[in-house]
Amino acid sequence: PTRRDVAAKEGKEIEEIPRDHPDIGARVVRGVELMKMSDEELDNLLDYEQLVFARTSPANKLTIVKGLQDKKLKRWKDGSRPPKRIKNVVAVTGDGVNDSPALSQADIGVAMGIVGSDVAKDAADMILLNDNFASIVDGVEEGRLIFDNLKKSIAYTLSSNIPEITPFLIFILIQIPLPLPTVLILLIDLGTDL
């Protein structure tokens, strides 16, 4: 719940609810507030489950990226669970020259292909040619599909080649004669690969 939700539930004004109220699970932070925060305050802020940064400058983007990458522990607001070790993978979108430091610093920099500047495109790891964020989801799905197919292909290759190479290993290690001649093993390999 947001600060507004907590205020409505308790029947109070929003200003009467402190920003660090334990029931607040979402937070909106403006760029001006972010500039005034210390590193420790930013680290505590990044513990929120739902966090929105509004009206941020390119320098704020860089601060957020570094804060997420440096964060090592996730602390729970209610204290019911011990801190959890985390490793954030940070993706940043940008289209201007000013966004290039954050695009470079992020694990995945995403630049806009149509309206993006050349500097932002050079700094980014991925360029959205159609400036549509849904393309990122499509790209991730395609990447996962390719990765799954690659794993299946490697598993098939290993499962078919290990029985073929085992007689040669036994021949080399124990010096027993080959049960099948080399040409016959190659024909079997050719037949199974078709």
Side-chain angles (χ1 to χ4, degrees), residues 6-173:
V6 172
K9 187 172 93 177
E10 295 183 6
K12 298 180 179 177
E13 294 294 320
I14 294 177
E15 292 77 25
E16 296 175 27
I17 305 296
R19 291 186 185 277
D20 58 350
H21 192 282
D23 289 342
I24 296 175
R27 177 96 188 262
V28 177
V29 180
R30 292 188 308 261
V32 177
E33 297 172 29
L34 186 63
M35 290 174 67
K36 297 175 185 172
M37 287 186 183
S38 66
D39 290 342
E40 185 177 332
E41 289 173 325
L42 178 62
D43 191 58
N44 289 333
L45 176 72
L46 294 174
D47 285 331
Y48 282 92
E49 288 295 320
Q50 299 173 5
L51 189 58
V52 175
F53 292 99
R55 305 202 52 86
T56 58
S57 68
N60 293 143
K61 278 187 179 182
L62 186 59
T63 303
I64 295 165
V65 169
K66 287 181 178 177
L68 284 168
Q69 288 176 334
D70 293 342
K71 187 160 187 60
K72 302 294 181 223
L73 289 175
K74 163 96 172 125
R75 292 173 293 280
W76 308 100
K77 296 282 179 205
D78 57 5
S80 62
R81 295 178 273 182
K84 179 174 107 176
R85 292 181 88 36
I86 58 170
K87 166 79 172 87
N88 290 315
V89 176
V90 183
V92 173
T93 60
D95 60 358
V97 175
N98 295 335
D99 294 329
S100 60
L103 289 169
S104 312
Q105 179 71 36
D107 297 310
I108 304 167
V110 182
M112 302 298 146
I114 298 172
V115 297
S117 69
D118 289 337
V119 176
K121 291 177 189 177
D122 289 340
D125 299 309
M126 179 170 56
I127 300 171
L128 294 178
L129 296 177
N130 59 359
D131 289 358
N132 184 358
F133 288 113
S135 300
I136 297 173
V137 176
D138 295 339
V140 169
E141 288 174 356
E142 287 293 324
R144 288 180 179 165
L145 184 64
I146 290 169
F147 184 70
D148 285 342
N149 288 340
L150 190 60
K151 284 195 308 189
K152 289 175 187 174
S153 173
I154 290 171
Y156 169 75
T157 303
L158 288 176
S159 66
S160 66
N161 287 345
I162 287 176
E164 293 171 6
I165 200 167
T166 304
F168 287 102
L169 293 176
I170 294 173
F171 171 71
I172 292 169
L173 296 175

